[in-house]
């Protein structure tokens, strides 16, 4: 079907020409002489106005054109007299693809709450807000590939089904084909996983990092970009059970290289969105977050503060601020602590490094003090932790010791340890939560509103 996308109508070079547009009707209004239809086809936040002269079209013909219906219009693109739009289509021919019963179509009026729209997640992409968010999300995904490809990183696809727990948090979704109502049992009464599909317990991955390290120690620099799964029961505006993560991993890289890469990367993505999605970002700014554009530019214009966890904790302890969760050396920082450092104290993004080993994953490189590891978390205004990463422990002996201390079953880890047995190298990497980046760039406040079909505890609709 030949059509012109609405986005292209605003370029100016099609003025005076015959065009064919197709899309979904946002509104229809008018009088006995003329009717105006605002049409959107998802190619831009802007609607194009279609003008129906009632000398050419009958009332009867136009009646089915209600909010949500889908139409095709052939007409002439002309400059618009009305304010608020530059061009409009003078309709010559109309075809209705599908009607949308006004009694039943849920997206009637403007200004539905985001909560209401979450219940209508199958239709919410048709709203201005979700159209904008999803276009920004798509642009950011492209920017991510562009950034890494331009720098010689290879895109590595890591498995979604895995038998190892990368983050060691145990928050994994089990994958099984066993009949849960009739489980095969061993003599001691435990489940006999040798009868399961893979012959052992498996789960959906929480991170592609471990396999990413295998790629990095062969190809030099890789990145993953795919879905990851966490069965934590955290009902917060920043957690999903299924989210997308980008994980670069680089050989011959230390923690400083890693911080530089993270900062360049995030700034590149934000700049790409500002350069390519300004209409959508401005719409979101106007409706949800007046300071959005300034905040994005502010991040681009400022160097991230870099300081150690220990110094960060000292600042928090000495702040006199009353936190809900207590803060002391050794405590895992909560979002309120992270945001205090970023929003109140430094008023800039912060990279916190050298966390106590007890609160970080087993694979992080131990510092000389024997107490802290070369971890780095990037903390952002409004978001808290947006990136988590580290330099990796490259010493076989130290890594093996840590695995033993943490009681991680060695038999599941032999292949990972082989990277340290054969040609081990210093290396580092990090993970960016894609939805947290989209949250930041769109100014939305709930992570459920930046992924088309969110998965959260008790919610797997659509
Ligand atoms: O800090 P995390 O757990 O780090 C890792 O998984 C490492 N393996 C990454 C690496 O070094 N390659 O997760 C990384 C990021 C977090 O900073 C956060 O942005 C995001 O993933 N994230 C979540 N996003 C949405 N919902 C959740 N439940 C998330 N958990 C982590
Ligand atoms: Mg983390």
């Amino acid at each position: 079907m030949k059509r012109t996308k609405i986005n292209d109508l605003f370029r100016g070079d099609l003025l005076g020409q015959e065009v064919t547009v197709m899309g979904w009707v946002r509104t229809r209004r008018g009088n006995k002489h003329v009717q105006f239809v605002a049409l959107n086809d998802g190619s831009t936040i802007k609607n194009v106005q279609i003008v129906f002269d009632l000398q050419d079209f009958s009332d009867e013909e136009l009646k089915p054109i209600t909010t949500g219906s889908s139409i095709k219009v052939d007409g002439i693109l002309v400059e618009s007299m009305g304010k608020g739009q530059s061009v409009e289509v003078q309709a010559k021919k109309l075809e209705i693809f599908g009607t949308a019963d006004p009694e039943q179509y849920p997206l009637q009026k403007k200004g539905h709450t985001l909560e209401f729209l979450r219940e209508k997640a199958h239709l919410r992409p048709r709203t201005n807000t979700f159209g904008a968010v999803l276009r920004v999300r798509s642009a950011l995904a492209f920017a991510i590939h562009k950034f890494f490809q331009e720098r010689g990183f290879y895109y590595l696809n890591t498995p979604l089904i895995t038998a190892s727990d990368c983050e060691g948090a145990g928050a994994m979704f089990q994958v099984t084909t066993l009949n849960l109502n009739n489980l095969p049992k061993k003599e001691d009464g435990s489940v006999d996983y040798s009868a399961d599909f893979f012959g052992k317990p498996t789960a959906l991955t929480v991170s592609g990092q471990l396999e990413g390290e295998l790629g990095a120690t062969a190809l030099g620099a890789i990145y993953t970009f795919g879905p990851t799964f966490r069965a934590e029961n955290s009902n917060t505006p920043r957690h999903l059970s299924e989210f997308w993560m980008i994980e670069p991993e680089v050989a011959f890289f230390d923690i400083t290289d890693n911080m530089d890469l993270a900062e360049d990367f995030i700034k590149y993505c934000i700049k790409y969105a500002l350069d390519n999605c300004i209409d959508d970002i401005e719409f979101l700014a106007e409706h949800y977050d007046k300071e959005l554009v300034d905040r994005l530019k502010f991040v681009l214009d400022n160097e991230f503060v870099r300081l150690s966890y220990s110094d960060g904790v000292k600042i928090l302890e000495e702040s006199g601020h009353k936190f809900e969760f207590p803060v002391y050396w050794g405590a895992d920082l909560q979002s309120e602590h992270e945001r205090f450092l970023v929003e109140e104290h430094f008023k800039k993004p912060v990279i916190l490094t050298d966390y106590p080993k007890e609160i970080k994953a087993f694979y992080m490189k131990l510092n000389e003090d024997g107490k802290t590891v070369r971890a780095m978390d990037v903390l952002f205004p409004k978001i808290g932790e947006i990136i988590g990463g580290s330099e990796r422990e490259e010493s076989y002996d130290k890594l093996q010791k840590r695995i033993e201390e943490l009681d991680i079953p060695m038999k599941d880890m032999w292949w990972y340890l082989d990277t340290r047995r054969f040609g081990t190298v210093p290396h580092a990497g990090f993970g960016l939560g894609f939805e947290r980046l989209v949250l930041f760039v769109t100014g939305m406040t709930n992570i459920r509103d930046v992924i088309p079909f969110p998965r959260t505890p008790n919610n797997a609709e659509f």
Side-chain angles (χ1 to χ4, degrees):
M1 285 178 146
K2 203 166 155 340
R3 68 162 171 137
T4 307
K5 288 195 177 174
I6 289 173
N7 197 23
D8 295 332
L9 301 180
F10 295 99
R11 266 195 332 241
D13 56 318
L14 294 173
L15 263 183
Q17 297 193 22
E18 176 146 345
V19 293
T20 301
V21 290
M22 304 179 197
W24 294 268
V25 171
R26 286 291 159 80
T27 56
R28 176 167 63 92
R29 61 189 176 81
N31 53 41
K32 327 201 267 297
H33 309 293
V34 63
Q35 292 274 308
F36 303 102
V37 166
L39 194 70
N40 190 283
D41 68 357
S43 63
T44 161
I45 187 85
K46 293 182 207 145
N47 301 327
V48 71
Q49 174 158 283
I50 316 281
V51 184
F52 290 94
D53 191 328
L54 289 189
Q55 289 188 330
D56 304 328
F57 296 89
S58 71
D59 252 352
E60 217 36 44
E61 239 178 311
L62 300 185
K63 214 167 133 201
I65 305 184
T66 56
T67 297
S69 60
S70 47
I71 60 173
K72 167 182 174 182
V73 175
D74 299 310
I76 310 289
L77 188 68
V78 297
E79 263 179 80
S80 176
M81 300 294 149
K83 61 176 177 24
Q85 69 253 340
S86 52
V87 294
E88 62 192 24
V89 175
Q90 211 77 61
K92 297 283 167 229
K93 198 171 152 220
L94 165 71
E95 186 185 323
I96 294 174
F97 289 125
T99 55
D101 184 349
E103 302 289 315
Q104 298 191 25
Y105 183 61
L107 306 179
Q108 284 306 325
K109 56 177 181 14
K110 286 187 183 169
H112 288 299
T113 65
L114 294 170
E115 288 79 9
F116 172 84
L117 291 174
R118 264 172 235 148
E119 318 251 293
K120 310 279 181 241
H122 60 310
L123 294 171
R124 70 179 181 172
R126 293 194 194 177
T127 62
N128 287 331
T129 296
F130 286 90
V133 168
L134 294 178
R135 280 186 296 271
V136 172
R137 185 179 164 108
S138 169
L140 284 170
F142 182 70
I144 286 162
H145 283 291
K146 197 159 144 37
F147 175 87
F148 287 118
Q149 295 285 335
E150 283 170 0
R151 281 158 189 75
F153 286 62
Y154 300 104
Y155 180 36
L156 185 80
N157 300 122
T158 51
L160 298 190
I161 300 177
T162 172
S164 55
D165 180 359
C166 173
E167 293 305 299
M172 302 184 87
F173 290 100
Q174 202 178 329
V175 172
T176 180
T177 53
L178 293 177
N179 177 355
L180 298 184
N181 292 315
N182 185 16
L183 288 169
K185 294 278 172 65
K186 293 197 285 204
E187 267 172 22
D188 65 2
S190 62
V191 175
D192 180 8
Y193 281 103
S194 68
D196 202 352
F197 191 88
F198 296 104
K200 58 177 164 184
T202 51
L204 295 177
T205 190
V206 296
S207 157
Q209 180 196 321
L210 301 186
E211 292 89 354
E213 288 183 51
L214 304 181
T217 51
L219 299 167
I222 63 92
Y223 67 104
T224 72
F225 186 176
T228 48
F229 307 87
R230 305 243 170 137
E232 327 161 76
N233 199 1
S234 354
N235 247 312
T236 83
R238 281 176 304 279
H239 287 90
L240 290 165
S241 313
E242 174 178 305
F243 65 100
W244 286 63
M245 184 149 59
I246 299 95
E247 295 185 275
E249 191 72 34
V250 194
F252 319 111
F253 230 47
D254 64 20
I255 189 171
T256 308
D257 302 321
N258 209 28
M259 287 192 277
D260 292 344
L261 180 72
E263 185 166 344
D264 286 350
F265 171 49
I266 247 182
K267 285 180 171 172
Y268 181 98
C269 294
I270 293 171
K271 178 156 189 321
Y272 187 88
L274 279 170
D275 289 347
N276 290 279
C277 309
I278 194 65
D279 287 350
D280 288 322
I281 290 175
E282 279 176 351
F283 172 87
L284 294 165
E286 188 185 326
H287 288 84
Y288 296 99
D289 183 350
K290 297 277 183 287
E291 286 144 32
L292 177 60
V293 177
D294 287 342
R295 193 179 314 112
L296 297 179
K297 289 190 174 151
F298 181 79
V299 168
L300 293 185
D301 292 343
N302 281 282
E303 280 188 12
F304 297 1
V305 176
R306 299 178 183 191
L307 86 160
S308 70
Y309 167 92
S310 300
D311 289 344
V313 166
K314 207 178 291 163
I315 291 170
L316 292 169
E317 281 175 333
E318 287 167 6
S319 70
H321 189 88
K322 249 193 98 48
F323 294 108
E324 193 187 333
F325 293 91
V327 58
Y328 53 89
W329 199 95
D332 204 357
L333 297 185
Q334 304 292 323
S335 169
E336 56 168 344
H337 306 131
E338 297 171 341
R339 292 182 59 178
F340 182 87
L341 289 174
V342 172
E343 291 166 25
E344 313 281 328
H345 190 81
F346 290 109
K347 300 196 162 61
K348 276 186 203 169
V350 171
I351 310 183
L352 221 52
T353 61
D354 304 295
Y355 283 71
K357 66 176 180 194
E358 287 77 17
I359 56 173
K360 288 294 181 187
F362 74 94
Y363 50 70
M364 297 190 180
K365 186 178 171 74
L366 194 64
N367 279 317
E368 289 71 33
D369 62 13
K371 289 192 302 195
T372 58
V373 287
R374 255 168 246 184
M376 50 160 251
D377 278 10
V378 180
L379 313 179
F380 254 45
K382 295 250 179 191
I383 308 288
E385 178 190 337
I386 192 162
I387 280 180
S390 73
E391 193 173 330
R392 318 305 188 190
E393 183 56 77
E394 83 264 23
S395 148
Y396 180 87
D397 293 340
K398 287 187 194 161
L399 185 61
Q400 195 189 30
K401 190 161 159 259
R402 195 73 191 122
I403 288 177
E404 274 164 17
E405 274 169 19
L406 292 172
D407 252 344
I408 300 171
M410 286 289 272
K411 69 168 178 25
D412 297 338
M413 281 302 175
W414 64 271
W415 52 273
Y416 182 68
L417 279 163
D418 267 6
T419 54
R420 276 63 165 177
R421 279 217 301 162
F422 307 122
T424 189
V425 290
H427 62 290
F430 61 79
L432 168 76
F434 186 44
E435 285 75 20
R436 296 207 182 160
L437 175 68
V438 184
L439 265 182
F440 185 72
V441 173
T442 58
M444 303 304 279
T445 50
N446 194 312
I447 202 162
R448 292 164 180 78
D449 299 331
V450 296
I451 185 165
F453 306 106
R455 297 289 178 256
T456 50
N458 282 317
N459 172 35
E461 193 73 39
F462 310 108

